[in-house]
Amino acid sequence: MTEPDDVTLELVGAIATVEGVEPHELDYSLHDYVATDAVREMARTDTDDWELTFEVPDHTVTVDGTGEIQIDGVTVRESDAVQSDEI
């Protein structure tokens, strides 16, 4: 998994990618829908045997200990989130 502090940034990037916007253009903050501190704590664990699913407006988001992020059941790779301006 990536650095624990980066997991929330990756989640925001993945959601923005699916929305077709830049992360700062989302109409809401991630912490309004999930305890971002708890997500970071899970990412800091020594195991990758965890999974968290939560909802944001119009989407179901799943992240797991391997760093995989799924939006509405479709895997969004980190490289997709970084290149969100290409959508």
Side-chain angles (χ1 to χ4, degrees):
M1 170 127 220
T2 60
E3 292 297 313
D5 292 333
D6 294 339
V7 67
T8 54
L9 296 176
E10 289 180 22
L11 286 165
V12 170
I15 295 166
T17 296
V18 171
E19 289 285 326
V21 298
E22 292 297 317
H24 67 276
E25 296 175 318
L26 288 172
D27 292 334
Y28 55 87
S29 294
L30 185 63
H31 64 82
D32 292 335
Y33 294 91
V34 66
T36 53
D37 289 340
V39 175
R40 287 186 198 102
E41 285 301 314
M42 287 191 303
R44 284 187 182 99
T45 63
D46 292 335
T47 180
D48 61 0
D49 190 23
W50 60 269
E51 180 178 282
L52 174 69
T53 299
F54 59 94
E55 292 184 2
V56 296
D58 302 319
H59 301 289
T60 300
V61 180
T62 301
V63 60
D64 69 23
T66 67
E68 178 180 53
I69 298 171
Q70 292 186 0
I71 310 286
D72 302 324
V74 177
T75 299
V76 179
R77 290 176 179 74
E78 180 179 283
S79 60
D80 292 339
V82 171
Q83 298 171 1
S84 62
D85 59 331
E86 294 180 8
I87 292 180

